[in-house]
Amino acid sequence: MAVYVVSDLHGYMDVFMEGLNKIGFSDEDKLYVIGDAIDRGPKGIELLSYIMEHENMDLLLGNHEYMMLDVVDPEGGAYCIGNDTTLWRYYNGGEVTFEAYSKLSGDERKALLSWLNHRMLIKVVEAGGRRFCLTHSFYIPKCEGQEFCEMDTDYAWAIVWASMFRDGDTKCKDIYANYDYTFITGHVPVQRVRAEYLRDRNYNRLESYRFRNFVDIDGGCAIGFKKNVKNGAIFLRLDDMEEFAVEITKP
């Protein structure tokens, strides 16, 4: 049995399936998708459904799933009621997700929403003799192991949105140094981390960013296909920290 993580697939089902094939994923293995399975790319709902149907796969919510749950009708209607509908659908790539979601039956929408509401945002796992803390972007100790439906919304927002690469109070600081975990996150593409914060001229590469006990595995699927840009998904095997990259190719 091996334990894998991947993040920020953003609807790229083909990249996801290629990654499963590349790692030789089996029924004995475990995979955690740590947020942002939906939006921007074409098959976010299909991706969620696939994860939901496999007992050896799990999803931790990211900011895009948070936005979806914040605006769609909680009773499963094919419409949006939240104040941030425009933010999700038209500024963060949610329209393609909402179109697919609307085509589900009412029972299918209710089942999907129930499943999402019972996902965690922070999960601690052990593999290869190490303890890992999985979270889409940020860590709040009191929220370990809590499902979204039982969490304070302000804490949930912080976990999926706050970032050591985006926020003034934490920007580029070693905020996890005193914890006995290796933190695995996504949210900010590794290419952006290297280009904007490290001023690395060799930023255009599809591999994780690692700093002490912190690892970012967002491979930049949110960008989609761009000529001369190496972006896609990074599958990380926690047992030995080997990674497997799957690049987005031209449609």
Side-chain angles (χ1 to χ4, degrees), residues 135-240:
T135 174
H136 181 64
S137 183
F138 198 67
Y139 176 62
I140 299 176
K142 66 174 67 177
C143 297
E144 279 188 21
Q146 291 186 16
E147 296 178 353
F148 178 71
C149 60
E150 62 187 9
M151 287 186 64
D152 179 280
T153 55
D154 289 338
Y155 288 147
W157 185 95
I159 292 167
V160 300
W161 279 107
S163 169
M164 64 190 292
F165 297 116
R166 289 181 170 174
D167 300 284
D169 292 341
T170 60
K171 192 170 183 179
C172 295
K173 295 180 181 178
D174 190 6
I175 60 176
Y176 300 128
N178 296 324
Y179 292 102
D180 187 27
Y181 294 140
T182 298
F183 288 85
I184 312 294
T185 75
H187 193 47
V188 182
V190 293
Q191 300 89 344
R192 179 179 174 185
V193 171
R194 293 191 172 97
E196 296 185 14
Y197 304 110
L198 303 181
R199 305 300 180 187
D200 185 349
R201 294 182 179 180
N202 187 29
Y203 68 89
N204 187 22
R205 60 188 195 271
L206 186 55
E207 59 185 56
S208 67
Y209 167 71
R210 306 188 186 196
F211 176 71
R212 296 181 182 171
N213 65 330
F214 172 83
V215 184
D216 181 354
I217 58 169
D218 180 352
C221 278
I223 304 168
F225 173 78
K226 300 290 183 183
K227 188 176 181 181
N228 299 323
V229 175
K230 291 183 179 180
N231 63 303
I234 300 168
F235 288 75
L236 178 64
R237 186 168 60 210
L238 299 183
D239 307 77
D240 57 6

Side-chain angles (χ1 to χ4, degrees), residues 103-121:
K103 294 176 182 177
L104 298 177
S105 69
D107 287 343
E108 288 172 329
R109 289 193 295 270
K110 288 179 181 179
L112 180 60
L113 292 182
S114 176
W115 180 75
L116 287 172
N117 272 290
H118 285 87
R119 295 305 92 209
M120 295 180 186
L121 282 75

